[in-house]
Amino acid sequence: MSVNLCTISNMQGMTKKWLDPPKTISSLSVIERILHARGLEDKKAQISFLESRLSSLNKPESIPGVVDAARILKTAIESKSRILIFGDYDADGITASAVLFHVINTATNQADISIHIPDRVNEGYGLRANAIQQFKEQGVDLILTVDCGITAIEAAEKAKEYDIDLIITDHHQFREDGLLPECAAIAHPCIHGNKGEPLAGVGVAYMLAWAFAREWSGGEKVTKELERILLNLLPLAAIGTVADMVPLQGDNRIIAKWGTNMLKDSVIDGIQAILDEMNLKTHLKASDISFKIAPLLNAVGRLKHAGPAVDLLTTLQGPLASSVASELASINRKRQVIQKAMFSEVQQAVELQQLNKKPIVILKNSEWERGVVGVAAGKCVEYYYRPTVLFVDDGVKLIGSARSISGFSILDALKSCSEFLDEFGGHDMAAGVTLSRNHFDSFVQAMEKYAEQYLDIDSLVPTVSPDIDLTVEECKGIEVAEFLKLLPFGVGNKTPVATIRNVHVDEVKRFGSQGAHLSLKIGSSRSRIRCIWWGNGDKIEVLKRGALISVVGKLGVNDFNGYQTIEMNLEDLSLPCP
């Protein structure tokens, strides 16, 4: 007797709603079908995407303002000006600062250059007017921002007042009123209506480094020494690019691909110290940056000052670099403990206040760590699939971080109740916000009203969007070498997701601490593939050998004793319809 599975359009699994994969041509290879599903139907476009040659990287002049910034920087160095690189305290800002430091240092080996990263709590994000006076007292002649500054109108005015030259390199959104800082140069991919590559801050900094190298060398062909350092800086550029979650397409894909491939052989002692500390040496992937390297760099800026991370990637060598890498790893472990405790408190509050029945979660607490509320909010979104805003109450103001779900712009939501806010900014999926304590209740009411208007029940069910429908035989037939050409995976080039429908369970077992995870082999004894379902060990009760199921999951490569096979990391699973 045949069993009918839920194979209707947009089927519902055990935990998520499954969207239908795009229609593709069945006679194509699996890799070609995945590329087709992502809009790459032209053979030339497919080859360009898969190869992502370094020579295909756009030239620096593709970024408006970069060439002018490079010329001003060269002139400042030649006149022995004191230069200050002003960065941000996240992995993107840290690596962007390091990239420009290294290229200037290599060119001159004597320039008077320093790096300033603001303190998250005491100074806040971005270049502010009150910092300019401090830099004037230090004798700074030129401020060069990375990963920030595009909205620093008041700071630019103060710099002009103090006769300090200001170069801004940034990739963030402009002010709503369109005003730009008045300064010596602005390098930004999208300035003046330009539709440039959506580079990370470090990507813009890398383009400036390249343009500066050309100016210093007196032409498009740079000196051998500068060519070498530009290549050696690609791992730093890859770390910042992947960490900042920009789309891994075009220039970003090229930077991430080549930089990730070069990570294990990096000549920067700090990078090698991080790899040693994290036990990362072979088969490095973008996911190693996302889940291991970037959190280590970000943690110090969240809990302390990001200075040691900058030193690690610029000047520290040998045992000292190893010592600082170990310190950063320790800080990151502390961050993980704080985050876990904070999320536990969020869960308790959500259940107590029944916020899981509302379309948005908004909470405040005076004891939460300000630098960790953002990652805790992200965890809350992942767990409840609700837009989330978490605030730290410092006794005067509420300083918060917001995270959202697909299809709901948290930035637009904040704009709708801006009358209650002191400051806010960000993008559709994440934002920062500050408000007075006495405006909290009004803010919550306004945000809940907005969320109720723009979110329905279906919007609050997590979805999974497969690229392709496969059989077990098709999945097993994927050539690992061809699959790996799709790397690096990340935003804009997600890990391929496939469905396998109406397949039998051949083997199932729990593994991990207290059997937290599930390992399945689906198909038959003659042809089967391994599937891992993380955190769902309890589902073994409904999965017996011989059961007919459908699965959806991310395709991946299992490397066991040098033997590589395709496997699936499950997103969801569907049982027969009752």
Side-chain angles (χ1 to χ4, degrees):
M1 184 179 77
S2 64
V3 179
N4 179 36
L5 279 170
C6 301
T7 56
I8 60 172
S9 178
N10 293 348
M11 67 186 281
Q12 180 70 47
M14 295 182 74
T15 64
K16 296 179 180 178
K17 181 170 69 176
W18 306 9
L19 303 181
D20 288 332
K23 301 292 184 184
T24 57
I25 302 170
S26 59
S27 60
L28 298 175
S29 72
V30 171
I31 302 303
E32 288 174 322
R33 287 161 62 192
I34 290 170
L35 293 173
H36 263 244
R38 298 181 175 188
L40 292 170
E41 299 181 4
D42 178 70
K43 192 67 177 178
K44 186 177 179 181
Q46 291 180 4
I47 293 171
S48 176
F49 177 83
L50 293 174
E51 291 183 347
S52 295
R53 294 181 178 178
L54 192 55
S55 59
S56 298
L57 193 66
N58 280 306
K59 299 297 188 287
E61 55 267 27
S62 66
I63 307 297
V66 158
V67 174
D68 287 342
R71 289 171 180 163
I72 294 167
L73 178 59
K74 175 176 178 283
T75 300
I77 293 171
E78 289 174 335
S79 62
K80 301 191 183 305
S81 297
R82 179 167 288 184
I83 300 167
L84 179 124
I85 298 172
F86 187 98
D88 188 21
Y89 37 65
D90 66 359
D92 187 19
I94 291 167
T95 52
S97 300
V99 161
L100 286 173
F101 176 89
H102 280 294
V103 76
I104 296 170
N105 193 52
T106 299
T108 67
N109 204 30
Q110 58 185 6
D112 190 355
I113 182 169
S114 58
I115 298 174
H116 180 87
I117 305 291
D119 181 273
R120 180 187 291 265
V121 175
N122 296 325
E123 297 176 75
Y125 169 79
L127 183 65
R128 298 179 180 244
N130 57 10
I132 303 298
Q133 182 174 349
Q134 171 191 341
F135 300 146
K136 179 65 177 178
E137 291 169 356
Q138 294 170 358
V140 171
D141 301 301
L142 170 67
I143 299 171
L144 172 56
T145 77
V146 292
D147 194 31
C148 64
I150 199 63
T151 61
I153 306 295
E154 295 79 9
E157 291 173 353
K158 186 64 69 172
K160 196 171 184 179
E161 178 186 330
Y162 285 139
D163 199 28
I164 298 175
D165 285 331
L166 174 62
I167 296 173
I168 290 171
T169 76
D170 200 356
H171 70 123
H172 290 101
Q173 290 187 2
F174 307 115
R175 287 167 51 124
E176 280 196 48
D177 58 15
L179 284 177
L180 294 171
E182 290 187 20
C183 56
I186 298 176
H188 191 293
C190 300
I191 200 169
H192 305 315
N194 187 62
K195 295 183 178 179
E197 294 268 345
L199 296 171
V202 72
V204 180
Y206 188 85
M207 288 298 184
L208 176 55
W210 187 1
F212 168 75
R214 286 162 60 169
E215 289 293 327
W216 196 261
S217 303
E220 286 196 17
K221 187 173 178 59
V222 305
T223 66
K224 288 292 183 183
E225 191 176 22
L226 285 172
E227 181 182 31
R228 192 179 306 114
I229 192 62
L230 286 172
L231 285 171
N232 290 336
L233 291 175
L234 280 169
L236 280 176
I239 291 171
T241 295
V242 174
D244 215 48
M245 300 179 70
V246 291
L248 296 186
Q249 300 168 352
D251 284 352
N252 288 330
R253 174 172 168 80
I254 294 170
I255 290 170
K257 176 183 176 178
W258 287 89
T260 302
N261 290 342
M262 295 169 64
L263 262 175
K264 63 183 176 62
D265 299 315
S266 175
V267 300
I268 297 173
D269 278 28
I271 289 180
Q272 288 299 330
I274 291 172
L275 298 182
D276 288 339
E277 179 64 33
M278 306 300 291
N279 197 27
L280 295 171
K281 278 299 178 182
T282 58
H283 303 302
L284 293 176
K285 303 182 292 296
S287 58
D288 292 312
I289 295 174
S290 297
F291 298 111
K292 296 178 181 179
I293 298 173
L296 182 143
L297 293 174
N298 282 329
V300 64
R302 293 185 186 281
L303 298 183
K304 294 189 176 181
H305 191 277
V310 173
D311 293 340
L312 180 62
L313 297 180
T314 53
T315 59
L316 300 184
Q317 298 178 339
L320 195 52
S322 298
S323 175
V324 171
S326 179
E327 178 190 350
L328 297 189
S330 176
I331 293 171
N332 189 42
R333 287 190 291 273
K334 180 181 178 183
R335 187 270 308 168
Q336 291 170 330
V337 171
I338 292 171
Q339 179 183 326
K340 185 177 180 180
M342 187 183 298
F343 181 60
S344 178
E345 292 174 3
V346 168
Q347 285 181 296
Q348 293 174 30
V350 167
E351 302 303 325
L352 183 65
Q353 301 178 37
Q354 296 188 317
L355 297 180
N356 54 326
K357 295 181 179 179
K358 294 188 176 184
I360 189 167
V361 172
I362 305 175
L363 290 166
K364 63 176 179 176
N365 191 304
S366 61
E367 297 181 0
W368 286 342
E369 187 71 45
R370 183 168 162 181
V372 185
V373 288
V375 285
K379 186 71 175 175
C380 189
V381 170
E382 181 184 320
Y383 189 83
Y384 292 107
Y385 204 68
R386 299 285 191 279
T388 300
V389 191
L390 300 182
F391 288 99
V392 176
D393 185 344
D394 71 357
V396 179
K397 292 184 180 295
L398 301 177
I399 302 100
S401 284
R403 299 292 184 269
S404 196
I405 60 175
S406 178
F408 183 81
S409 170
I410 198 68
L411 186 60
D412 285 347
L414 292 173
K415 288 176 182 177
S416 74
C417 55
S418 59
E419 62 193 285
F420 305 117
L421 309 179
D422 293 345
E423 288 182 273
F424 70 97
H427 50 81
D428 289 343
M429 299 300 288
V433 57
T434 302
L435 67 153
S436 300
R437 300 171 81 195
N438 59 350
H439 284 157
F440 179 73
D441 290 340
S442 299
F443 169 76
V444 171
Q445 291 173 11
M447 287 290 280
E448 287 182 349
K449 182 178 179 181
Y450 184 91
E452 286 169 359
Q453 181 180 353
Y454 289 97
L455 288 171
D456 56 25
I457 295 298
D458 286 343
S459 303
L460 299 175
V461 177
T463 60
V464 56
S465 302
D467 294 285
I468 187 171
D469 273 323
L470 294 176
T471 64
V472 169
E473 289 72 21
E474 286 175 324
C475 196
K476 282 181 65 67
I478 298 173
E479 293 185 25
V480 170
E482 292 301 307
F483 179 80
L484 293 177
K485 288 181 181 178
L486 294 169
L487 292 171
F489 299 134
V491 175
N493 185 41
K494 66 178 184 176
T495 304
V497 176
T499 57
I500 301 179
R501 300 173 189 263
N502 301 356
V503 63
H504 287 95
V505 176
D506 192 55
E507 181 184 305
V508 59
K509 59 184 179 182
R510 301 177 75 161
F511 73 99
S513 176
Q514 299 180 329
H517 316 299
L518 205 60
S519 172
L520 301 93
K521 290 182 179 176
I522 59 174
S524 68
S525 57
R526 293 188 303 276
S527 180
R528 63 183 189 174
I529 64 164
R530 182 176 184 241
C531 302
I532 302 297
W533 203 6
W534 301 103
N536 282 276
D538 59 329
K539 302 294 192 303
I540 197 169
E541 300 301 326
V542 294
L543 292 171
K544 304 298 181 184
R545 188 172 189 269
L548 189 67
I549 62 173
S550 290
V551 298
V552 60
K554 296 178 180 177
L555 298 175
V557 177
N558 179 42
D559 192 337
F560 183 71
N561 289 335
Y563 182 63
Q564 294 182 316
T565 56
I566 296 293
E567 66 177 15
M568 290 182 75
N569 287 303
L570 296 188
E571 294 278 305
D572 198 14
L573 179 151
S574 178
L575 296 170
C577 288

